[in-house]
Amino acid sequence: MTNSINIVINGEPVPQPRPRFARRGKHVTAYDPINSKGYKVLVRVSVRNQYHDEPLTGPLHVELDVYRPIQKSLSKKERAKRLSGAHRPVVKGDIDNYFKAVTDACTGSCG
């Protein structure tokens, strides 16, 4: 028996970037850039508002649909192609980085 949970995250998706490092005295610490950190907060809040059952455990099957806005700095011809679906551009941010941003935000803090 498979159960399905659908969570909608309203906002522009942000791929998980490489960690940044900062020297703090004699120590070096890793941190998330501010836009990535903000997106993870948005994901956590969205999940908490939409999922009210017990936290999930064990193996999970996760499907992720990512919708990005069309850039504003395009010609009318190119914009029309993208709106019609005739042209699907390659955008910065691999799908695995979008997936990691969402799943990292949910790990251990959702539910």
Side-chain angles (χ1 to χ4, degrees), residues 22-89:
R23 182 175 298 275
R24 312 239 191 249
K26 293 182 180 181
H27 303 284
V28 175
T29 59
Y31 66 94
D32 274 339
I34 199 77
N35 63 338
S36 172
K37 196 173 188 176
Y39 182 65
K40 286 182 179 182
V41 169
L42 174 66
V43 171
R44 273 189 218 103
V45 169
S46 298
V47 171
R48 285 181 181 155
N49 288 338
Q50 297 174 51
Y51 181 75
H52 305 289
D53 291 335
E54 292 295 315
L56 302 171
T57 60
L60 301 173
H61 174 88
V62 177
E63 292 183 18
L64 180 67
D65 294 325
V66 177
Y67 299 97
R68 294 194 32 90
I70 296 173
Q71 298 98 321
K72 294 179 181 180
S73 61
L74 296 173
S75 67
K76 289 181 183 179
K77 185 177 178 182
E78 182 62 24
R79 185 169 179 77
K81 282 183 184 179
R82 292 186 185 185
L83 285 170
S84 71
H87 182 244
R88 292 195 170 191

